[in-house]
Amino acid sequence: MSRAFVKENDLEHAGIDIPERPLSDEPNYVTPNGLKLLHKKIDALEMEREALKQKKDDPIIKQKIAMIERDMRYYAARIESAILTSPKEEDHSVVLFGAKVTVEDKEGKLSIYEIVGEDEADLKLGLINISSPIARALIGKEEGDTAEVQAPGGVRRYEVIAVSYV
């Protein structure tokens, strides 16, 4: 009988073909806090994997374990490629990686951004990826300079109000 007519359990091969997470081609700059976060993610995944190993005969659990191990490989590669920076040692008058920048838009609205690596970025917390358009526009600026950012609605201008390193 042809295998085309045999109904296999969809979970029979669960977790076998989980694709690897893509790694960025950009340099992997990290702040000291960003490196700690990467290590914490691996530790949390390790704990999750250990908790699931007791039920490893379950196909769904096998798939979850495979996904956790894939994520662990991803974070291990990110740690391996990390370029640790020391923001406190930077020129505090210029916006560079690791800077906390206060900017003002043309409406007078203030925003604070910290320029971090892609694994640490979280816009809700004001942590922006160094590869983002606004970070690229701010790099190299000093207090009083204007940064122009190409946004979907057109060019947005921000005045750099303050630069600090934490």
Side-chain angles (χ1 to χ4, degrees), residues 9-23:
N9 182 345
D10 290 341
L11 297 176
E12 184 177 333
H13 299 291
I16 292 175
D17 292 328
I18 296 174
E20 290 298 314
R21 291 180 63 175
L23 293 169

Side-chain angles (χ1 to χ4, degrees), residues 5 13 34 51 65 79 92 121 150 163:
F5 297 105
H13 299 291
I65 290 171
I79 290 169
H92 292 253
Q150 185 63 46
V163 179

Side-chain angles (χ1 to χ4, degrees), residues 94-113:
V94 178
V95 177
L96 298 170
F97 182 82
K100 188 172 272 196
V101 186
T102 304
V103 297
E104 182 177 16
D105 65 15
K106 69 179 181 179
E107 289 84 32
K109 180 184 173 209
L110 294 177
S111 300
I112 299 173
Y113 299 111

Side-chain angles (χ1 to χ4, degrees), residues 24-60:
S24 173
D25 292 333
E26 298 292 323
N28 185 19
Y29 294 107
V30 296
T31 64
N33 186 55
L35 189 58
K36 285 180 195 171
L37 289 173
L38 288 171
H39 284 287
K40 284 182 180 180
K41 286 181 181 184
I42 286 182
D43 292 344
L45 289 167
E46 177 66 34
M47 288 175 53
E48 188 177 351
R49 180 177 70 171
E50 289 303 314
L52 291 173
K53 276 191 170 182
Q54 300 163 11
K55 303 173 191 172
K56 66 181 177 184
D57 293 333
D58 180 338
I60 294 173

Side-chain angles (χ1 to χ4, degrees), residues 55-69:
K55 303 173 191 172
K56 66 181 177 184
D57 293 333
D58 180 338
I60 294 173
I61 299 299
K62 275 185 180 179
Q63 186 176 29
K64 286 183 181 180
I65 290 171
M67 290 174 73
I68 289 169
E69 289 174 344

Side-chain angles (χ1 to χ4, degrees), residues 93-97 99 101 115 135-143 145 147 160 163 165:
S93 66
V94 178
V95 177
L96 298 170
F97 182 82
V101 186
I115 301 173
R136 288 182 191 182
L138 290 170
I139 296 288
K141 302 292 188 221
E142 298 180 4
E143 289 181 16
D145 287 350
V160 177
V163 179
Y165 290 84

